[in-house]
Amino acid sequence: MSETETSHDDKSCVPADSPTLDNSSSCTQMEHVSLAPLSRVAICGGTHGNEMTGVYIVKEMQRKKVKAAGSLYVTPVLTNPRAVEVCRRYTDKDLNRCFTDALLSSPVTDSAPYELRRAQELNAQLGPKGGKEAVDLLVDLHNTTANMGLCLIFYSLDWLTLHLLKYMQNKISSVPVRAIQLDIPLSDAYSLEVVGKHGFAIEVGPQPHGVLRADIFNVAKKAVDLTLEFIQEFNAGRTFEGGEVEAFTLVKSIDYPRDSSGEITAAIHPELQDNDFQLLRSGDPLFLSFSGETVIHEGEDLYPFFINECAYYEKKVAFQLARKTTYSFPSVSVEKD
Amino acid sequence: MGQSEPRSVSGMSLHGSTARLSEARRVAIFGGTHGNEMSGVALVNLWIKNGADIQRRGADIKPFITNPKAVEKCVRYVDTDLNRAFTHENLSASGGDEFPYEVRRAQEINRMFGPKGSPEAYDVIFDLHNTTSNMGCTLILESSKDHFNLQMMNYIKKAISPASCLVLLNEHPLLKYSTSRSVAKHPVGLEVGPQPQGVLRSNIFEAMRVILKHALDFIELFNEGMEFPPCTVEVFRVSERIDYPRDANGNIIAMVHPNLQDCDWEPLNPGDPMFQTFDGKTIPYQGSCTVYPTFINEAAYYEKQQAFMTTRRETLAASGIRKA
């Protein structure tokens, strides 16, 4: 595996509307970038044991003993087997919140929550996070009960992930393909994909937890196949043209209205339900209480997503809100020796 | 259904074509029989706090959470499925703490609302459920001879028209199961979907609320002496349970086909796509005639070895009814 790292690998991309940048010239003037080839990819599923698409994609890859795609080493990993066994999100603790620097380095005994120990195991197997031995790319498969189509979720939008997003948008037409960026420093980044040198989650919905839908499976599988295809073409020397792409950056989360004992008193309003990524303006309805009152959105126009995600009730999140940003990215190709 | 001589059939007396039935005074509304089916949990909790909307003249209507431990954890059940636990064996067993939670709970519910099969049992119990299947509003009937329930279902269907509410009849000797509502003389299942487990959708909540409003209106009208003339009710009678294709180790090897997914109640003909393997191959339905599938891809039924159920369409005749 090539150990060469160019200075561009870890650089966060520059938003086209950043105040220090001249919008009109940025996207066509960016210099071509050369990146190191990728040789090891991990395809992960079952991080939440009841999100069935990833569970079955990984199980199928394991059944077929998939180890490679062309010259790429591919490792399918069932990340939370205990949760998969009982078809629950987690057994003790949400595995996908265990990958902060602090939790990965905390001392764990046998009595520690299962998922904390498992996270450290996965970090040793596929990482370590931030280290030279980490897999080149970690893709983590998830489902949501929200109507989000296909989303790639990243912490840092590096050139590779922006190109992959564009590649997928061009080749998948059955569902919208979008990107969500979490603007969190790497040390505090908590989900599995940060373990790889490059990483992102593929989130596909809507699908109830515990259910395996063929249409959702088919589009997620296509996304995985396209990822591996892209990397092989990249490694083989193809140049991918630069361009622009939109991404949604998380701003904040909104909880349900609750009474004094903490019980939910309203449901997501029918006009908001299933309308992930449709712009929410001041005055638009958010919640419909059980007694028939409407709660409306006030303030900045923002884009809602993860609307009515089952697993977020306990995290006190009814939906999340994002700003939309346009990112420019340069043409890329693999470094020549 | 007209009879020229009066005769008596287990508590029901027939004069002409109108059956005289005793009043439906004791009514219960069960929510949380499955702790992660949220519409029923939310509605029952709402009515426990403020029961104004469910008051009706001539009836005592009790909202009740049947499986509070499962509701607390937002799971279907803690030890065993409460909605399969009301077997004669479980209800008559003596002993205590060593029984699964839901078996003890079933015994308690049987004491409070039964005993099942006795004259003291509640008159009507509505059991509120959600499904991940695209079944819309479905009323579940356990006996084709329950004229009271048939008339109620006919009333509800007409009241919500043009919106639709279908009737599923599960009288199959092998496939029928011992539900929590079966404790009552007239058990009514209410199944609304699609809704993921653990999720509360406003439209689903409202649909269930409206159906119950009409059901309680019917009970009030009946108790006030209104006569309901003979009618017919279209039902879908449970026929078969179809499992996923599995390998020798019991692992699922195919998914409900995209053409069948979400097509509850639509005709499935021999040769139509039924399952799709992970590699994209289609497995067709190979029954001998057209059936009407339901409970297609219900999350809770993977462990019960069921991908969907087939039903046959039938028209049942209900005799006229009136309070005795």
Side-chain angles (χ1 to χ4, degrees):
Chain A
M1 176 179 87
S2 164
E3 296 299 322
T4 315
E5 288 167 345
T6 72
S7 60
H8 296 286
D9 270 35
D10 304 324
K11 186 162 85 178
S12 288
C13 62
V14 183
D17 57 358
S18 135
T20 59
L21 212 63
D22 173 2
N23 283 357
S24 60
S25 60
S26 58
C27 72
T28 52
Q29 302 303 324
M30 285 181 126
E31 258 187 48
H32 178 88
V33 165
S34 294
L35 300 171
L38 281 73
S39 78
R40 291 161 63 220
V41 179
I43 306 291
C44 300
T47 297
H48 295 134
N50 55 6
E51 293 176 19
M52 309 293 275
T53 304
V55 171
Y56 279 90
I57 284 181
V58 165
K59 280 188 173 182
E60 258 306 278
M61 291 175 80
Q62 289 176 334
R63 192 185 65 82
K64 290 176 157 172
K65 300 187 172 26
V66 171
K67 287 189 169 64
S71 57
L72 252 185
Y73 290 106
V74 178
T75 311
V77 185
L78 206 65
T79 52
N80 195 341
R82 281 199 197 173
V84 170
E85 179 65 40
V86 293
C87 199
R88 296 248 204 281
R89 183 176 176 84
Y90 56 82
T91 57
D92 296 330
K93 187 178 156 57
D94 190 337
L95 177 61
N96 216 28
R97 300 291 182 276
C98 290
F99 293 89
T100 61
D101 284 8
L103 288 174
L104 284 177
S105 56
S106 68
V108 288
T109 61
D110 282 347
S111 59
Y114 167 71
E115 279 85 3
L116 262 179
R117 288 180 278 131
R118 184 67 184 139
Q120 295 192 356
E121 255 171 54
L122 288 164
N123 192 41
Q125 179 191 350
L126 304 174
K129 176 182 177 186
K132 288 208 164 95
E133 298 78 32
V135 295
D136 295 302
L137 175 63
L138 195 158
V139 178
D140 192 22
L141 295 164
H142 285 266
N143 292 118
T144 174
T145 57
N147 185 27
M148 286 168 64
L150 195 146
C151 288
L152 305 186
I153 307 183
F154 317 81
Y155 287 93
S156 64
L157 283 157
D158 60 28
W159 303 138
L160 206 67
T161 42
L162 285 177
H163 269 281
L164 247 168
L165 170 67
K166 200 73 188 173
Y167 191 78
M168 280 200 213
Q169 285 178 336
N170 286 340
K171 298 207 173 208
I172 293 176
S173 54
S174 56
V175 298
V177 177
R178 302 183 178 98
I180 297 170
Q181 192 215 357
L182 307 174
D183 209 356
I184 299 173
L186 197 61
S187 58
D188 297 330
Y190 47 74
S191 40
L192 171 61
E193 66 269 21
V194 301
V195 168
K197 293 206 181 81
H198 302 272
F200 55 87
I202 294 181
E203 184 89 51
V204 196
Q207 180 172 269
H209 298 316
V211 164
L212 182 65
R213 287 183 65 106
D215 53 358
I216 299 280
F217 177 95
N218 292 341
V219 80
K221 181 157 185 299
K222 181 151 189 200
V224 170
D225 290 344
L226 288 174
T227 300
L228 297 176
E229 182 183 289
F230 173 89
I231 293 174
Q232 286 174 87
E233 291 195 22
F234 169 80
N235 282 348
R238 177 176 155 184
T239 296
F240 291 90
E241 289 311 312
E244 277 188 352
V245 81
E246 284 174 346
F248 294 88
T249 305
L250 172 65
V251 169
K252 59 183 174 177
S253 302
I254 306 291
D255 189 14
Y256 290 93
R258 292 173 190 271
D259 64 20
S260 51
S261 50
E263 295 301 315
I264 286 175
T265 57
I268 298 280
H269 197 280
E271 283 176 37
L272 177 60
Q273 178 70 56
D274 301 334
N275 284 325
D276 300 69
F277 301 108
Q278 306 310 310
L279 185 63
L280 201 57
R281 300 191 160 90
S282 216
D284 286 347
L286 295 179
F287 300 105
L288 181 62
S289 79
F290 300 142
S291 48
E293 285 107 40
T294 297
V295 177
I296 60 167
H297 175 61
E298 278 157 11
E300 189 187 345
D301 288 357
L302 289 167
Y303 293 87
F305 64 103
F306 275 127
I307 299 173
N308 210 347
E309 160 53 49
C310 167
Y312 287 179
Y313 281 64
E314 72 173 17
K315 298 192 202 295
K316 310 261 190 282
V317 174
F319 57 93
Q320 298 193 296
L321 289 169
R323 274 184 208 108
K324 193 160 65 165
T325 313
T326 304
Y327 292 92
S328 299
F329 52 95
S331 62
V332 297
S333 62
V334 75
E335 271 171 356
K336 305 276 190 282
D337 293 322
Chain B
M1 236 347 254
Q3 303 288 329
S4 51
E5 307 133 9
R7 59 183 177 86
S8 171
V9 179
S10 59
M12 198 171 81
S13 63
L14 291 168
H15 291 263
S17 59
T18 301
R20 296 291 171 94
L21 306 176
S22 43
E23 66 170 352
R25 192 179 56 79
R26 295 160 82 224
V27 177
I29 302 175
F30 284 175
T33 294
H34 296 133
N36 54 9
E37 294 177 15
M38 306 302 283
S39 307
V41 173
L43 278 169
V44 165
N45 278 337
L46 198 67
W47 288 326
I48 287 173
K49 272 209 313 239
N50 180 354
D53 285 351
I54 58 169
Q55 309 283 15
R56 295 294 190 279
R57 285 181 300 263
D60 301 317
I61 299 170
K62 189 177 168 63
F64 185 76
I65 295 282
T66 44
N67 197 340
K69 274 200 189 174
V71 169
E72 173 69 39
K73 297 177 163 198
C74 198
V75 292
R76 181 177 175 85
Y77 57 80
V78 171
D79 293 331
T80 186
D81 193 335
L82 180 62
N83 216 29
R84 304 289 184 278
F86 287 76
T87 59
H88 176 74
E89 188 190 339
N90 279 349
L91 296 180
S92 56
S94 53
D97 293 346
E98 72 272 14
F99 287 154
Y101 168 72
E102 278 87 3
V103 171
R104 287 178 277 129
R105 192 71 188 145
Q107 294 177 343
E108 202 178 320
I109 290 167
N110 192 43
R111 277 190 291 277
M112 290 175 71
F113 297 95
K116 178 168 169 174
S118 76
E120 291 81 41
Y122 262 58
D123 296 297
V124 187
I125 294 179
F126 299 99
D127 193 18
L128 307 183
H129 288 269
N130 291 119
T131 174
T132 58
S133 306
N134 188 27
M135 287 166 71
C137 294
T138 301
L139 293 162
I140 306 184
L141 186 61
E142 298 193 359
S143 160
S144 56
K145 298 178 179 47
D146 190 334
H147 298 277
F148 179 84
N149 274 356
L150 280 167
Q151 286 282 359
M152 181 200 294
M153 294 179 182
N154 179 58
Y155 178 89
I156 292 169
K157 282 157 76 82
K158 294 202 156 51
I160 67 166
S161 175
S164 84
C165 184
L166 300 181
V167 178
L168 176 68
L169 169 65
N170 194 355
E171 209 174 35
H172 192 295
L174 299 174
L175 297 180
K176 86 175 287 172
Y177 44 85
S178 306
T179 55
S180 43
R181 57 187 178 267
S182 66
V183 157
K185 293 173 186 150
H186 303 289
V188 180
L190 180 45
E191 189 84 55
V192 187
Q195 180 171 269
Q197 296 168 344
V199 163
L200 183 67
R201 287 182 66 101
S202 184
N203 62 331
I204 301 283
F205 174 88
E206 288 303 325
M208 196 178 266
R209 179 159 44 182
V210 165
I211 302 252
L212 268 163
K213 172 197 141 31
H214 292 305
L216 296 180
D217 288 347
F218 169 86
I219 289 175
E220 184 174 66
L221 290 168
F222 172 82
N223 284 342
E224 289 184 331
M226 178 178 278
E227 180 162 332
F228 295 86
C231 66
T232 58
V233 182
E234 183 182 69
V235 304
F236 291 83
R237 183 190 282 273
V238 167
S239 177
E240 252 191 304
R241 164 194 295 164
I242 309 286
D243 190 13
Y244 292 94
R246 293 173 189 268
D247 64 17
N249 297 323
N251 301 310
I252 286 175
I253 57 173
M255 309 167 278
V256 171
H257 196 279
N259 287 21
L260 176 58
Q261 179 69 52
D262 302 334
C263 293
D264 301 70
W265 310 118
E266 292 175 35
L268 180 68
N269 306 302
D272 285 350
M274 183 172 57
F275 295 109
Q276 183 214 291
T277 68
F278 298 120
D279 287 331
K281 189 163 90 76
T282 295
I283 299 173
Y285 175 62
Q286 284 172 330
S288 53
C289 63
T290 295
V291 290
Y292 295 85
T294 191
F295 277 119
I296 299 173
N297 209 345
E298 159 55 52
Y301 289 172
Y302 282 64
E303 70 175 20
K304 297 197 203 291
Q305 273 85 51
Q306 181 177 311
F308 63 96
M309 265 185 159
T310 64
T311 69
R312 308 277 174 99
R313 268 164 90 156
E314 208 172 298
T315 303
L316 295 183
S319 65
I321 63 168
R322 194 175 148 174
K323 187 180 79 166

